[in-house]
Amino acid sequence: MTDATTSPHPEADPHDSHDPHDPHTPHDNRRQVLYWRLLARLFDQEEQATLESASLAVVEDIGLPSALLDPGTSVDSIVQRHPDLADEFDGLMVPEADDDEARDRAAEVRRAALVSKVLLNVFGVGSGTVTAGQLARWQSDAGWLERALGCKPGELRGGRAGAGSGAGAAGPGVSPTGTGGRGTTPDLSRLIPAIGPELGAIEADLVKRMRLREVLADPKLAAQLTPSMSLIEQLLRDKNNLSGVALANAKSLIRRFVDEVAQVLRTQVEKTTVGALDRSVPPKRVFRNLDLDRTIWKNLTNWSPEEERLYVDRLYYRHTARKTTPQRLIVVVDQSGSMVDSMVNCTILASIFAGLPKVDVHLIAYDTQALDLTPWVHDPFETLLRTNLGGGTDGTVAMALAQPKIAEPRNTVVVWISDFYEWRSEPLFDSMAAIHRSGAKFIPVGSVTSSGRGSVNPWFRERFKDLGTPVLSGHIRKLVHELKTFLA
């Protein structure tokens, strides 16, 4: 018997993926080459010749375009030249069932090449000045990353998901700002923690590195910009320093973003109707309200067997009028820089609710001073132009404006949006508790964003919980649901 230590063929570990006799080993090695090359390019801008040549050989051998390895080529450009790859990028990084026996290792190599392309383009942003074209290309590539994760473009970054078309779009179903994903949203908190805020931070950094004023002053360059939350924040901060063409282009970008977000939010608000049917109001006698089933049933006694005809003596219509008690919605928004996402979303949301019948909406923005924006509440664009981002926060000045507006507490809801890092915490909380005790509906909101992220002062969070009005944080759909429930 040959000793195991001297045997020319020692027993191999069946789970060792690097066993040279394992038929899966070549595929595993190829996949590792692609990922090692990705890591090398992310952490070192200089090319590693060996990894580059090995990766090129892998990509060409599996029939993918060599442009996948070029960080300067956008995913849009690749999909335009190879439209069949669009479907492969969609849902590319959505987790699948872990079945080692059913693994297709050849497909995993192809997947690694596509994943490496998306990750390198999004996270390998380098340093130095950024042009408008480079920002637009990054936004497009970030949209493809979001699609690869099974989400809609812009959804993770807190923008307007799936609205409009980005620069360099390749047509319906192909552009990252067109249709998005395969419809199944993965558990991103488990898959990649906090990827949304990280993408937003990268985009914000790119915007800061761009000579924005020079870009806005050139209509051709400004036309390359795609509105996003990071860009809108920078425009709102810098609007007082702009004039002429630059200011006009900035307003155009803000207007586009507001309209796109409003379209998404309006759909959410209109999904359910407000108020119960009011049967004391006669139904409108128009064709769209005709209750055909009831009309036939009530007139069955008029059926003529000889003529096989139903004679109708009376038409019946459905009731559509709804009982609505006049409600007052008071929205107070912290306009400090950390709350810009919530401020934009809630300003637009306030304008939508202001358009509902018998809903009286008031809007207050504050930092160390408070501003009553109620006269412009129907136009979120004009409202945002009147805000001033930055500075500290003193909610007591906003409370001084809000409290006199509560005329009928039982018919009033106060929505307070802030991270609640306040200068005068106890007096402000006492006033908020008094509103709650008066019978008004008080909703403290820590962050209401399109991606559902943010932080809240723990001191306030605990006290709101004890008060029975826990802080609402997360996706803006939560606030929409709370408001619709109260106003119904």
Side-chain angles (χ1 to χ4, degrees):
M1 177 180 286
T2 306
D3 184 78
T5 58
T6 60
S7 171
H9 300 290
E11 183 178 358
D13 182 352
H15 301 289
D16 184 4
S17 62
H18 298 284
D19 178 6
H21 301 292
D22 187 341
H24 300 315
T25 297
H27 295 307
D28 292 341
N29 289 343
R30 287 180 167 191
R31 190 178 70 251
Q32 289 180 14
V33 165
L34 293 171
Y35 284 136
W36 275 115
R37 183 252 178 192
L38 169 64
L39 292 174
R41 291 301 298 263
L42 286 175
F43 294 102
D44 187 352
Q45 295 299 314
E46 294 185 7
E47 293 185 3
Q48 301 293 326
T50 303
L51 287 174
E52 292 295 329
S53 59
S55 298
L56 179 61
V58 171
V59 167
E60 291 180 341
D61 188 57
I62 60 179
L64 288 174
S66 59
L68 283 174
L69 301 178
D70 181 6
T73 302
S74 68
V75 178
D76 252 353
S77 297
I78 292 174
V79 170
Q80 284 175 344
R81 298 170 191 170
H82 307 274
D84 54 307
L85 291 180
D87 289 338
E88 292 192 55
F89 279 111
D90 271 339
L92 179 66
M93 300 169 68
V94 174
E96 298 177 352
D98 189 10
D99 185 355
D100 191 68
E101 295 298 327
R103 287 174 61 185
D104 184 345
R105 284 173 166 79
E108 288 181 1
V109 177
R110 186 179 183 89
R111 184 169 176 264
L114 298 175
V115 168
S116 296
K117 175 60 181 174
V118 176
L119 293 180
L120 182 58
N121 277 29
V122 173
F123 293 101
V125 293
S127 58
T129 303
V130 175
T131 66
Q134 288 173 325
L135 175 63
R137 190 182 69 189
W138 183 90
Q139 290 173 326
S140 170
D141 288 333
W144 281 107
L145 173 60
E146 288 163 320
R147 287 179 66 167
L149 291 169
C151 301
K152 295 180 180 180
E155 188 171 354
L156 298 182
R157 286 168 286 161
R160 66 281 174 268
S165 295
V174 175
S175 171
T177 46
T179 60
R182 291 176 178 170
T184 302
T185 302
D187 181 2
L188 295 177
S189 62
R190 176 177 62 84
L191 177 64
I192 302 179
I195 190 173
E198 288 302 321
L199 289 176
I202 293 174
E203 185 174 24
D205 179 63
L206 292 173
V207 171
K208 290 178 181 177
R209 285 159 49 189
M210 183 175 59
R211 293 191 176 93
L212 187 56
R213 295 180 190 177
E214 296 178 15
V215 171
L216 291 172
D218 187 330
K220 291 183 179 180
L221 294 177
Q224 298 180 37
L225 296 175
T226 300
S228 65
M229 189 63 74
S230 298
L231 181 58
I232 296 308
E233 177 179 354
Q234 193 64 29
L235 292 175
L236 291 175
R237 290 183 185 278
D238 206 33
K239 65 181 185 298
N240 293 330
N241 298 317
L242 301 175
S243 61
V245 175
L247 180 60
N249 286 329
K251 288 183 176 181
S252 176
L253 286 165
I254 296 172
R255 171 68 77 181
R256 279 173 56 193
F257 186 79
V258 165
D259 290 345
E260 289 169 357
V261 175
Q263 182 179 359
V264 175
L265 294 182
R266 191 173 291 109
T267 300
Q268 295 178 12
V269 171
E270 292 174 352
K271 280 183 179 178
T272 56
T273 53
V274 177
L277 288 176
D278 188 353
R279 299 192 179 277
S280 66
V281 178
K284 287 186 178 181
R285 297 178 179 273
V286 293
F287 179 75
R288 68 173 180 271
N289 292 340
L290 178 64
D291 190 337
L292 189 59
D293 290 341
R294 189 174 177 221
T295 297
I296 293 174
W297 177 257
K298 290 288 188 180
N299 288 279
L300 281 178
T301 55
N302 299 327
W303 169 254
S304 173
E306 295 81 11
E307 300 178 64
E308 294 186 349
R309 180 174 298 181
L310 178 67
Y311 289 92
V312 178
D313 291 336
R314 178 183 173 186
L315 296 175
Y316 291 84
Y317 296 87
R318 297 185 186 89
H319 288 79
T320 56
R322 295 184 175 272
K323 294 179 180 179
T324 54
T325 302
Q327 309 280 15
R328 174 161 291 186
L329 170 61
I330 302 172
V331 181
V332 183
V333 186
D334 175 355
Q335 66 174 352
S336 62
S338 61
M339 296 298 294
V340 62
D341 198 338
S342 292
M343 185 188 71
V344 170
N345 278 287
C346 291
T347 297
I348 296 170
L349 190 62
S351 72
I352 295 172
F353 275 99
L356 297 179
K358 298 186 178 181
V359 179
D360 180 24
V361 180
H362 294 252
L363 180 63
I364 299 170
Y366 76 96
D367 43 33
T368 55
Q369 295 181 320
L371 179 63
D372 191 342
L373 297 170
T374 303
W376 303 278
V377 72
H378 289 275
D379 189 341
F381 170 71
E382 290 294 334
T383 300
L384 289 173
L385 291 182
R386 285 168 170 77
T387 60
N388 291 295
L389 300 183
T393 50
D394 184 0
T396 58
V397 296
M399 183 61 75
L401 284 179
Q403 283 180 320
K405 294 177 179 289
I406 306 174
E408 298 180 22
R410 295 293 176 184
N411 294 328
T412 302
V413 57
V414 178
V415 179
W416 198 290
I417 302 104
S418 175
D419 53 12
F420 296 100
Y421 286 94
E422 295 282 342
W423 286 1
R424 293 187 282 179
S425 299
E426 292 193 14
L428 178 59
F429 178 78
D430 291 342
S431 299
M432 292 173 171
I435 291 177
H436 174 69
R437 289 192 296 268
S438 72
K441 174 77 170 178
F442 185 80
I443 305 177
V445 181
S447 71
V448 181
T449 68
S450 301
S451 58
R453 63 179 191 268
S455 63
V456 176
N457 185 338
W459 188 91
F460 269 93
R461 184 185 290 277
E462 288 301 316
R463 279 156 181 77
F464 281 134
K465 185 177 180 180
D466 294 340
L467 188 64
T469 57
V471 175
L472 182 70
S473 294
H475 201 285
I476 196 165
R477 284 193 298 267
K478 294 182 180 180
L479 179 57
V480 172
H481 175 74
E482 287 288 325
L483 292 177
K484 292 301 289 290
T485 299
F486 178 82
L487 296 173

